[in-house]
Amino acid sequence: MKHFSLAFLLFFVFRTAMAQDGVIEGKIVNPINNEPIPFANVIIQGLDQGAVSDEQGQYRISGLEPGLYNVKASFVGFKSQTFFEVQVTLARPVQLDFELEEDASNLDEVVVDSEFSRSEETPLSARKLNSNEIERYPGGNRDISRVIQSLPGVASTASFRNDIIIRGGAPNENKFFIDEIEVPVINHFATQGSSGGPVGILNVNLIKNVDVISGGFPANRMNALSSFFEFQLKDGRRDKMFSQVTVGASELTFSNEGPIGDKTTYIFSARRSYLQGLFRLLGLPFLPTFNDFTFKTKTKINDKTELTVLGVGAIDEFALNFDVPDGETTEDRENRLYLLDNLPISTQWNYATGVKLKRFRDNGFWTFILSRNMLNNRSYKYARNDESQPENLLFDYLSQESENKFRAENNVFKDGYTFQYGVNYEFSRYLIENVDRQVLVQDGQELNISSVSLFHGYGGFAMGSKKFYDERLLINFGVRLDGSDFGATASNPLNQFSPRLSASYQVKDNLFWNANAGIYYQKPPYTVLGFQNNEGNFVNQDNDVRFIRATHLISGIEWKFPEKNRTFSAEVFYKKYANYPSSIRNGIALANLGADFGVIGNEPVSSDAEGRAYGLELLAQQRLYKGFYGIAALTLVRSEFTNSNTDYLPSSWDNRFIVSLTAGKRLPNDWEVGGRWRFLGGTPYTPYDFQASSLRSNWDLFNRGIFDYSRINDQRLNSFHQLDLRVDKKYFFDKWNLNWYFDVQNAYNFQAEQQPELIPQRNDQNELVVNPEDPSRYLLREVPNPAGTVLPTIGLIIEF
């Protein structure tokens, strides 16, 4: 017993000693000229440990226990920078590089942290999330699109989709950039003409941080009306190879990083889902499968030149399951057969790849970006899913969107001024092959088209910023000009003149007043631009379809407490829309569409809808401090649009009231618990036209209810709320790390109301029942369509 106790004691002492071998190392540079900053201080918040950078800007902090740390770098004459929740392990040193911006106001003493100071490009309506916040977010399932829903102004739906609805805008009003390279699609099974989908493409293991900009857009960003997402991926490790394997409830993910020679690093991720097998076991009538990949290489050609290569892609397949579950009730059978009759068989793949060359000078840098992206979307449907007879074909849809883009931007920093200018060019191709009996053109014929459209886009921008009154007042002014040959009005860039002005005034220490006014433009989706009728006419181009315009007015205050990692803010916003496409066929603005699977805009439209969204956002954010973190966000919002035959009506995104409360606590022995509660007001919806839907000729063609567009959004769902919980436990070993987590979505099983479904009644032979009083109609019934179930998830993350 004595020997056993001694062995146990020696083991404990050995493990304790090993637990002090965590290392943080990296380089500190000036982002303007990429020159190293020697003798900068790097400290660990809350600990008496730190380091000073050498003449090459390199630093190293050792002797750390595994855990999460806030790490701050500072130097006289520069804004300090803090990285929050840096995960230290025994398996490898943390690679943490700092970019300290020059700050003329702090020549004598560094007092403002860049994490809590004003960005000259986006001084308001900008939020940042880091990789650890994304990874352990309750209910997020390591999906960035779901994590973003905790931020103010961001609404979500009760369904399992990842639609991002910001400040009352439609899901297609957002744009995404990864390391400054535009990536149009970030979700699997994306709705073409919109941006949502059920599962995110990006692997959180590769994300360093993400900035969400919901207003005050800088002039070097184009083609969005509601938000920009700036994703920054990690650089690959410079010392040795490192890997991670993640086993989740629905997929398996592998990522790997490391050096390629002395000048190049890489990082790579691949993911494969096994939802198809899981859904088959559950007896669901649809079987989705998705795959995705992401890679990045970064080459330091010399001290002044960097080359980044990026690639992101996904392959999605959606099949039907005709197996009959055991113990199926009559109601379950009718619901299952309704879905089988309604859902198409579809495949989708997309990719985006790009090259970024960054060339530094003494007072600035040039950035050159060349990229290409492509989306291929195919779906088809046969009546009663009988593919043996050609006449049973209801629709067969194939389209491809491809874009080739070039941007050149110059950044100049001189005498307290920041000045940026640049140009961009885009060549795009849109192919469509579409046979559709469900969409009837005005002459009563089915749609049967095959066409290719080519478009050229061009633009330029200039913006500058300067601080006045002892650095208390920041002014940023910019203009954009954009044009494209898809329409007569759009081809003249002066018609898309886009000025914007932002101001930020430091009222007192850490209290700021911010404001912005700007005009922004976004081109309609390719489904609108490339739509062609049976005569070969590009109807929407002939109708002079236009860029969609949004005018933003924003004002607010921000109160920062950098010593406690705390921020409070309040913003009021107003958005005025013009030139929004509306459907000529049914009279509804396309701004009301996009939260369902399928295609948006493949029809004749007119650029005549208008809209407005306005509201108030309140935010309280606590970054990790003494083991606690949290976000409390409240949004009051109204979203309204006109339609072809209506005045302003509530839009499909008019939640009116949004609350999101997220909090977590770090516990001893590397445990962590967290929770999120969200509440959203019910959104409007358009009811069904029961008389038109029940006609046998219509139901046989559409297999679903027909909306009554004379009553656009005159019904409203009940409010929705949900509680998500998560527990994490980490283990740190000498050469590898282990993390398991248990996540529960919708912990108290709230049944959220969705629009009811119209479902046909069936007899014992699964045939549709004809109305005995009117043989021209089927018997239909409206059934509730609740969304929500307790969804537990267990995940395992192994790093080595």
Side-chain angles (χ1 to χ4, degrees):
M1 185 67 181
K2 185 182 297 185
H3 294 294
F4 176 81
S5 300
L6 179 61
F8 179 82
L9 178 63
L10 291 174
F11 175 78
F12 177 80
V13 171
F14 175 75
R15 292 301 302 162
T16 302
M18 291 298 295
Q20 300 294 321
D21 285 344
V23 174
I24 300 176
E25 60 184 15
K27 188 174 183 178
I28 305 174
V29 300
N30 183 336
I32 293 176
N33 51 32
N34 206 38
E35 293 181 357
I37 301 178
F39 313 118
N41 294 309
V42 185
I43 61 171
I44 307 295
Q45 188 181 72
L47 294 180
D48 225 359
Q49 288 179 266
V52 176
S53 60
D54 60 21
E55 293 184 352
Q56 286 73 45
Q58 305 281 354
Y59 76 94
R60 179 182 174 90
I61 304 174
S62 58
L64 297 172
E65 295 183 8
L68 289 179
Y69 298 93
N70 299 333
V71 187
K72 180 177 182 178
S74 60
F75 188 65
V76 174
F78 290 79
K79 295 178 184 178
S80 58
Q81 183 181 18
T82 301
F83 285 107
F84 293 90
E85 303 189 31
V86 177
Q87 180 67 69
V88 173
T89 73
L90 304 177
R92 72 199 190 285
V94 175
Q95 181 177 292
L96 190 65
D97 297 333
F98 290 88
E99 294 182 344
L100 301 188
E101 301 176 4
E102 295 183 28
D103 187 8
S105 65
N106 290 333
L107 290 177
D108 297 324
E109 182 182 4
V110 177
V111 295
V112 178
D113 195 301
S114 66
E115 189 73 29
F116 290 93
S117 64
R118 299 168 292 178
S119 165
E120 294 193 7
E121 294 181 4
T122 55
L124 78 172
S125 301
R127 312 296 176 195
K128 183 186 291 289
L129 294 167
N130 62 43
S131 59
N132 269 297
E133 290 174 312
I134 299 169
E135 185 168 352
R136 47 94 162 121
Y137 186 78
N141 199 24
R142 297 166 50 83
D143 190 332
I144 181 61
S145 296
R146 295 186 181 274
V147 176
I148 289 165
Q149 295 170 3
S150 67
L151 299 179
V154 183
S156 57
T157 60
S159 67
F160 54 87
R161 287 174 54 85
N162 278 350
D163 298 296
I164 301 172
I165 304 157
I166 295 183
R167 291 182 171 178
N172 66 342
E173 297 176 11
N174 312 303
K175 284 293 177 288
F176 313 97
F177 291 82
I178 301 179
D179 286 336
E180 300 183 79
I181 298 170
E182 185 175 349
V183 177
V185 179
I186 66 165
N187 283 300
H188 290 282
F189 304 101
T191 301
Q192 191 173 2
S194 188
S195 65
V199 183
I201 290 175
L202 301 178
N203 180 3
V204 65
N205 300 340
L206 276 60
I207 297 176
K208 182 178 181 181
N209 55 58
V210 55
D211 292 317
V212 183
I213 306 169
S214 54
F217 306 144
N220 64 340
R221 291 293 179 258
M222 72 295 287
N223 205 34
L225 304 177
S226 283
S227 75
F228 286 95
F229 291 76
E230 301 277 359
F231 297 92
Q232 183 180 359
L233 298 189
K234 302 173 184 176
D235 292 337
R237 296 194 61 81
R238 295 185 288 263
D239 50 2
K240 61 180 180 179
M241 184 184 298
F242 195 77
S243 301
Q244 184 181 76
V245 176
T246 302
V247 182
S250 59
E251 73 273 345
L252 174 67
T253 306
F254 173 77
S255 57
N256 180 262
E257 59 179 306
I260 305 175
D262 297 331
K263 296 185 176 182
T264 302
T265 62
Y266 75 92
I267 190 165
F268 168 80
S269 169
R271 177 167 53 170
R272 169 73 175 179
S273 78
Y274 34 81
L275 274 178
Q276 192 174 80
L278 178 62
F279 280 26
R280 188 180 293 276
L281 287 175
L282 295 175
L284 298 178
F286 46 89
L287 304 174
T289 302
F290 62 85
N291 308 269
D292 57 55
F293 70 89
T294 304
F295 73 85
K296 172 187 172 181
T297 67
K298 188 171 183 179
T299 302
K300 185 177 180 180
I301 299 175
N302 54 49
D303 290 340
K304 295 293 185 180
T305 309
E306 295 177 351
L307 180 68
T308 300
V309 180
L310 175 77
V312 179
I315 302 173
D316 305 326
E317 298 178 347
F318 190 94
L320 299 180
N321 178 19
F322 298 101
D323 296 340
V324 179
D326 295 334
E328 184 179 52
T329 66
T330 299
E331 183 177 345
D332 291 340
R333 174 173 60 91
E334 290 182 347
N335 289 336
R336 179 177 61 83
L337 293 175
Y338 165 76
L339 289 174
L340 288 174
D341 283 348
N342 191 30
L343 293 174
I345 296 174
S346 60
T347 59
Q348 187 180 105
W349 55 261
N350 65 83
Y351 68 83
T353 184
V355 177
K356 179 177 73 172
L357 181 68
K358 198 168 186 177
R359 176 66 179 173
F360 293 93
R361 309 181 306 277
D362 290 340
N363 67 336
F365 53 86
W366 275 97
T367 304
F368 303 95
I369 297 176
L370 183 65
S371 66
R372 174 178 170 82
N373 57 264
M374 187 171 182
L375 168 70
N376 186 96
N377 192 17
R378 166 82 193 284
S379 62
Y380 64 90
K381 186 67 179 178
Y382 284 81
R384 298 175 297 280
N385 297 298
D386 181 5
E387 301 183 21
S388 62
Q389 302 297 327
E391 61 269 17
N392 288 335
L393 180 67
L394 298 176
F395 66 86
D396 190 349
Y397 176 87
L398 169 68
S399 73
Q400 294 179 345
E401 301 176 6
S402 59
E403 298 176 321
N404 304 277
K405 302 178 180 181
F406 173 76
R407 296 201 331 264
E409 300 179 4
N410 189 20
N411 291 255
V412 181
F413 305 86
K414 189 174 183 180
D415 300 328
Y417 288 89
T418 299
F419 184 63
Q420 296 170 264
Y421 62 89
V423 295
N424 61 277
Y425 169 76
E426 175 183 309
F427 172 70
S428 53
R429 175 180 180 269
Y430 177 70
L431 174 148
I432 182 169
E433 296 178 359
N434 191 13
V435 177
D436 197 336
R437 293 178 53 212
Q438 293 184 330
V439 180
L440 302 179
V441 292
Q442 289 180 336
D443 59 4
Q445 296 176 346
E446 68 180 41
L447 195 64
N448 191 340
I449 61 174
S450 177
S451 68
V452 174
S453 305
L454 304 177
F455 303 102
H456 299 268
Y458 34 87
F461 78 95
M463 66 177 176
S465 60
K466 172 68 176 174
K467 292 179 179 179
F468 303 91
Y469 301 113
D470 296 327
E471 314 292 323
R472 300 180 74 88
L473 176 64
L474 167 66
I475 298 293
N476 181 288
F477 176 74
V479 295
R480 277 204 66 85
L481 291 172
D482 287 289
S484 178
D485 59 357
F486 63 73
T489 301
S491 62
N492 184 353
L494 294 176
N495 292 327
Q496 288 77 237
F497 178 68
S498 177
R500 67 279 315 267
L501 174 67
S502 296
S504 178
Y505 183 72
Q506 186 175 2
V507 180
K508 61 179 184 178
D509 289 347
N510 300 326
L511 178 62
F512 300 87
W513 168 80
N514 306 310
N516 166 265
I519 299 175
Y520 310 102
Y521 287 90
Q522 177 178 316
K523 67 183 180 183
Y526 288 108
T527 50
V528 167
L529 303 181
F531 176 76
Q532 188 182 58
N533 62 16
N534 287 352
E535 285 70 42
N537 299 319
F538 290 97
V539 177
N540 297 326
Q541 296 180 45
D542 295 341
N543 289 341
D544 192 23
V545 65
R546 304 186 178 193
F547 276 87
I548 309 169
R549 185 181 74 205
T551 302
H552 289 203
L553 298 173
I554 308 169
S555 181
I557 59 172
E558 195 165 16
W559 198 3
K560 303 170 183 290
F561 299 85
E563 70 279 0
K564 295 184 178 179
N565 306 337
R566 192 173 300 159
T567 302
F568 298 96
S569 67
E571 286 188 2
V572 292
F573 61 89
Y574 178 82
K575 295 193 291 187
K576 183 69 170 65
Y577 294 92
N579 303 338
Y580 228 109
S582 63
S583 169
I584 294 175
R585 181 179 300 117
N586 56 42
I588 189 171
L590 298 193
N592 288 300
L593 307 176
D596 201 356
F597 299 102
V599 178
I600 303 300
N602 186 39
E603 58 180 311
V605 303
S606 177
S607 295
D608 59 1
E610 297 181 352
R612 60 194 180 197
Y614 51 93
L616 167 69
E617 292 178 359
L618 301 176
L619 170 71
Q621 182 175 12
Q622 175 66 67
R623 297 278 189 152
L624 183 66
Y625 183 73
K626 295 184 178 180
F628 176 81
Y629 58 86
I631 297 177
L634 166 66
T635 303
L636 305 177
V637 60
R638 289 292 182 94
S639 176
E640 302 169 324
F641 276 87
T642 67
N643 302 280
S644 296
N645 301 310
T646 74
D647 198 355
Y648 282 101
L649 294 175
S651 80
S652 299
W653 325 111
D654 184 46
N655 287 98
R656 298 193 174 181
F657 193 76
I658 307 169
V659 178
S660 178
L661 305 176
T662 305
K665 176 67 176 176
R666 297 278 301 171
L667 301 174
N669 299 319
D670 300 306
W671 286 88
E672 182 173 338
V673 295
R676 176 185 69 159
W677 185 77
R678 53 182 171 142
F679 177 96
L680 294 94
T683 52
Y685 67 91
T686 301
Y688 295 111
D689 184 334
F690 194 87
Q691 293 300 312
S693 300
S694 62
L695 285 172
R696 295 174 63 183
S697 57
N698 283 339
W699 191 270
D700 289 340
L701 191 62
F702 294 101
N703 294 307
R704 62 180 182 272
I706 298 173
F707 293 113
D708 183 358
Y709 287 110
S710 67
R711 303 169 59 199
I712 294 174
N713 285 341
D714 80 343
Q715 301 290 309
R716 187 177 287 270
L717 301 174
N718 291 325
S719 299
F720 156 74
H721 50 88
Q722 178 173 310
L723 174 66
D724 304 321
L725 302 172
R726 178 166 170 137
V727 177
D728 280 79
K729 170 61 176 165
K730 292 181 171 65
Y731 302 87
F732 303 103
F733 303 98
D734 294 341
K735 301 296 183 181
W736 62 291
N737 307 315
L738 174 64
N739 174 203
W740 65 261
Y741 63 88
F742 178 63
D743 187 286
V744 181
Q745 297 181 43
N746 195 20
Y748 51 70
N749 195 29
F750 180 78
Q751 300 295 297
E753 184 185 27
Q754 294 189 113
Q755 181 169 5
E757 297 278 14
L758 274 184
I759 293 181
Q761 297 184 30
R762 298 176 184 265
N763 59 26
D764 293 339
Q765 289 74 43
N766 294 332
E767 297 171 337
L768 304 188
V769 177
V770 176
N771 188 339
E773 298 180 0
D774 185 351
S776 67
R777 300 178 183 276
Y778 289 123
L779 287 178
L780 305 181
R781 60 185 179 91
E782 195 172 68
V783 299
N785 182 32
T789 184
V790 177
L791 184 59
T793 300
I794 297 178
L796 191 66
I797 304 171
I798 304 172
E799 299 177 319
F800 55 93

